[in-house]
Amino acid sequence: MEKNVIVDIDVHQAPATRDVLLPFLPKTWHSEWKMMGVLPPHYYSAIGGFRKDAKPESGVHGSDVELMRKQLLDENGIDYAILTSDAINISLYYNPDYANAVASAYNEWTAACWLKQDSRFKGSILINNSDIPAAIKEIERWGDHPDMVQIVMPSASRTLYGQRIFHPLYETAEKYGLPIAIHPTAEGRGTAPEPTNAGYPTRYMEWHAGLSVSYISHLISLVCEGVFEKFPGFKFIGMEGGISWLPNVMWTLDNHYKALRSTVPWLRKYPSEYIIEQFFVTTQPLEEPEKKEYFATILEMIHAEQTLLYSSDYPHWDFDAPKTVELCLPRHLRKAVMGETALKLYGLKRPTGKEAPTT
Amino acid sequence: MEKNVIVDIDVHQAPATRDVLLPFLPKTWHSEWKMMGVLPPHYYSAIGGFRKDAKPESGVHGSDVELMRKQLLDENGIDYAILTSDAINISLYYNPDYANAVASAYNEWTAACWLKQDSRFKGSILINNSDIPAAIKEIERWGDHPDMVQIVMPSASRTLYGQRIFHPLYETAEKYGLPIAIHPTAEGRGTAPEPTNAGYPTRYMEWHAGLSVSYISHLISLVCEGVFEKFPGFKFIGMEGGISWLPNVMWTLDNHYKALRSTVPWLRKYPSEYIIEQFFVTTQPLEEPEKKEYFATILEMIHAEQTLLYSSDYPHWDFDAPKTVELCLPRHLRKAVMGETALKLYGLKRPTGKEAPTT
């Protein structure tokens, strides 16, 4: 197999204990942090949340730099791993002041204890989007940091992500050239509405199998509210929500646009064109259709050569190694999906010894 | 073209005025009915809700038996049209006693003023599912009526349709051999939760393009809660929610089943097997992918020869004539989709002169 660039855009680093974060957190929040941390899980997963072999001596998965370096980067030949943290749900915490402080502390801890340890680690700016001006300040604080390459938010939200309250956030992200990624978490927890528009599902399997509903709703909102037209340099990533729901959204929106474009007069292209150019999905979890050729067709339908990014979700139970994913992909898509699209998207330096593909 | 059986499973009949319903409604509700009717629309549609040419002199689309007979049945060679009414949202009305009375009145009016007018008209039993014992009584009242062939409920619900509160309803439906169809309406209206798990979308286009989220959530719930296993003769129809989201649900559930089957121990088959055997979708609205062959592939992925039913949505703006739909379908699927699957599902008499396909 050729040596492809491999960029893993979804890796969860975690503090080994809550105490680890204290040096980065204002004293006024120490007691609440020690008692509450981030929001607890809402559904019990019968298979746990983590790869069993990714548990370090400290006991917390994703907390040991050395183990992650060895088990994720070295063993899998990963050129860059973008850290997304275990605190993405902080936007749904009840008290925005606490959430702002925890997000800042995570960013400082990540910069100090991870990004300095290995140049292959890159960071995501964790924000609390329940306080937009504070979230903007946090982006401005880190926006010029050479190793902070994306912004993360939860898939759960009280408000659809296309709506105007979020536009200043997108303006700031565009200014710094930082994509915003949403990651599954917190539907029905903290201040988030119920996980479906018909209440709470019964169990983990239902919540997890239905993650697409958040992504579908947010993407429709982003397109129709004109976010991609208003901020043409802005990129949005739907992490870990699957990919095979995307053709439905592209076609349905295009179809509706034909009949109802007077209600979205700011759109100057078909919805699917904005999606292909400014929206991304990730490989983890990979769908496994009944017939193998269906998977290739879905990749064609979503223009995967432009829209699909490799992610491992390390150290979670549904981790996908780069080799597994590469072998599932048609040969002509491997370079783009495994790393080339991400190199461009995040403005990462090409790793030495890995040539640009000749096209 | 061969003469296929054509069964249209989604046709909206409506009273010409509210007064039309009064003879069927207990007097105690007359004043509320005249003032309130059913729940009003929540989003303004810039293109209206109806085919402009389907407006009778009375002014209310779908209210004139003669016009519907001519414009829908005769002009399109439709063998059976299953009436679904303009009152499906009644389950989300605040007062369940009112909703029960209105549902009953609609059923009596439909039987008296539509089903007796033309043997091609068939009826749906309208129920108020906010009062399950009353809904069961309503099904029992009509279950043996030869022309009442399905049950209708709204896609909006306070509770996911797989959950146990609904199981007695499904037991009754199974006993009478009646499929239950859900139809888009009422997300965010009346007692229904907000239309998405992140609040209200901004406009009609967004709500309408995102109808799939209700269907995805309900279907996952129906499968995981074991409804199809518990009631093997029971059939559920997701009307007017599109079809291209279905492969995602089938594959994602199958994948999750491999890892998490201990949490759904009652399932004895893969989720997709239950879906293919007991769940149905409809042709209206038909997706229009970028490439024509994608549509054929989606039909293959969803096992359309078993799961897809023709519907026109007459007299709504997005009406699809049988000929339009037939021409979009691969030849080998036309008989099944246009009518043969529905004939079996609803136990309808084969129309004279239209032979059973030889297979």
Side-chain angles (χ1 to χ4, degrees), chain A residues 44-47 155-161 163-164 187 192-214 216-218 220-221 224-225 241-245 247-264 266-267 271 276 285-291 293-295 297-298 300-301 303 317, chain B residues 44-47 155-161 163-164 187 192-214 216-218 220-221 224-225 241-245 247-264 266-267 271 276 285-291 293-295 297-298 300-301 303 317:
Chain A
Y44 165 73
S45 165
I47 47 171
S155 56
S157 175
R158 278 178 285 182
T159 310
L160 286 163
Y161 280 142
Q163 296 192 352
R164 285 159 215 186
E187 282 84 1
E194 297 180 334
T196 81
N197 69 2
Y200 281 86
T202 309
R203 57 184 65 74
Y204 178 79
M205 176 173 168
E206 294 171 44
W207 169 71
H208 203 270
L211 285 174
S212 65
V213 302
S214 304
I216 293 170
S217 301
H218 286 310
I220 291 172
S221 173
C224 293
E225 289 283 47
I243 63 171
S244 54
W245 52 267
N248 177 263
V249 175
M250 290 165 65
W251 304 337
T252 305
L253 278 177
D254 281 358
N255 219 348
H256 279 70
Y257 183 64
K258 287 174 199 160
L260 293 159
R261 69 170 75 189
S262 71
T263 67
V264 285
W266 38 81
L267 297 191
I276 293 163
L286 272 187
E287 276 98 338
E288 294 170 34
E290 183 188 359
K291 291 186 190 172
E293 63 265 32
Y294 288 164
F295 185 62
T297 309
I298 294 282
E300 234 188 77
M301 290 171 177
H303 294 247
W317 65 274
Chain B
Y44 165 72
S45 165
I47 46 171
S155 55
S157 174
R158 277 177 287 183
T159 310
L160 286 163
Y161 280 142
Q163 296 193 352
R164 286 159 213 187
E187 281 83 1
E194 298 180 335
T196 81
N197 69 1
Y200 282 86
T202 309
R203 56 183 67 73
Y204 178 78
M205 177 173 167
E206 295 172 43
W207 169 70
H208 203 269
L211 285 174
S212 64
V213 302
S214 304
I216 292 170
S217 301
H218 286 311
I220 291 172
S221 173
C224 293
E225 289 284 46
I243 64 172
S244 54
W245 53 267
N248 176 262
V249 175
M250 291 165 64
W251 303 337
T252 305
L253 277 176
D254 282 359
N255 220 348
H256 279 70
Y257 182 65
K258 287 174 198 162
L260 293 159
R261 69 170 74 190
S262 71
T263 67
V264 284
W266 38 83
L267 297 192
I276 293 163
L286 272 187
E287 276 97 340
E288 294 170 35
E290 183 188 359
K291 291 186 192 174
E293 63 264 32
Y294 288 164
F295 186 62
T297 310
I298 294 282
E300 234 189 76
M301 291 171 177
H303 294 246
W317 65 274

Side-chain angles (χ1 to χ4, degrees), chain A residues 107-127:
Chain A
N107 292 328
E108 285 177 33
W109 164 72
T110 299
C113 302
W114 288 86
L115 305 185
K116 283 191 183 152
Q117 302 297 309
D118 197 305
S119 62
R120 291 171 293 180
F121 288 133
K122 298 292 165 191
S124 305
I125 304 170
L126 180 65
I127 58 170

Side-chain angles (χ1 to χ4, degrees), chain A residues 38-206:
Chain A
V38 296
L39 297 170
H42 48 357
Y43 288 105
Y44 165 73
S45 165
I47 47 171
F50 295 99
R51 262 178 70 166
K52 293 213 167 64
D53 65 343
K55 191 168 162 32
E57 275 173 34
S58 73
V60 172
H61 296 79
S63 66
D64 186 314
V65 175
E66 280 319 308
L67 182 63
M68 195 186 286
R69 197 202 309 261
K70 187 175 160 289
Q71 195 170 48
L72 179 67
L73 304 183
D74 296 348
E75 276 181 24
N76 294 290
I78 286 174
D79 295 298
Y80 295 110
I82 304 179
L83 305 172
T84 49
S85 92
D86 68 337
I88 304 171
N89 72 31
I90 201 68
S91 286
L92 285 315
Y93 200 86
Y94 312 94
N95 182 336
D97 289 324
Y98 175 84
N100 291 337
V102 171
S104 289
Y106 258 85
N107 292 328
E108 285 177 33
W109 164 72
T110 299
C113 302
W114 288 86
L115 305 185
K116 283 191 183 152
Q117 302 297 309
D118 197 305
S119 62
R120 291 171 293 180
F121 288 133
K122 298 292 165 191
S124 305
I125 304 170
L126 180 65
I127 58 170
N128 163 38
N129 70 23
S130 79
D131 183 345
I132 300 289
I136 289 174
K137 265 192 209 146
E138 194 63 22
I139 299 173
E140 288 171 341
R141 231 175 118 209
W142 297 101
D144 290 325
H145 190 294
D147 295 322
M148 286 290 201
V149 299
Q150 76 179 348
I151 297 159
V152 277
M153 318 196 293
S155 56
S157 175
R158 278 178 285 182
T159 310
L160 286 163
Y161 280 142
Q163 296 192 352
R164 285 159 215 186
I165 191 174
F166 295 109
H167 291 202
L169 205 57
Y170 304 151
E171 192 181 358
T172 311
E174 186 191 38
K175 184 177 140 198
Y176 286 99
L178 294 166
I180 293 188
I182 58 170
H183 188 285
T185 186
E187 282 84 1
R189 259 187 296 173
T191 60
E194 297 180 334
T196 81
N197 69 2
Y200 281 86
T202 309
R203 57 184 65 74
Y204 178 79
M205 176 173 168
E206 294 171 44

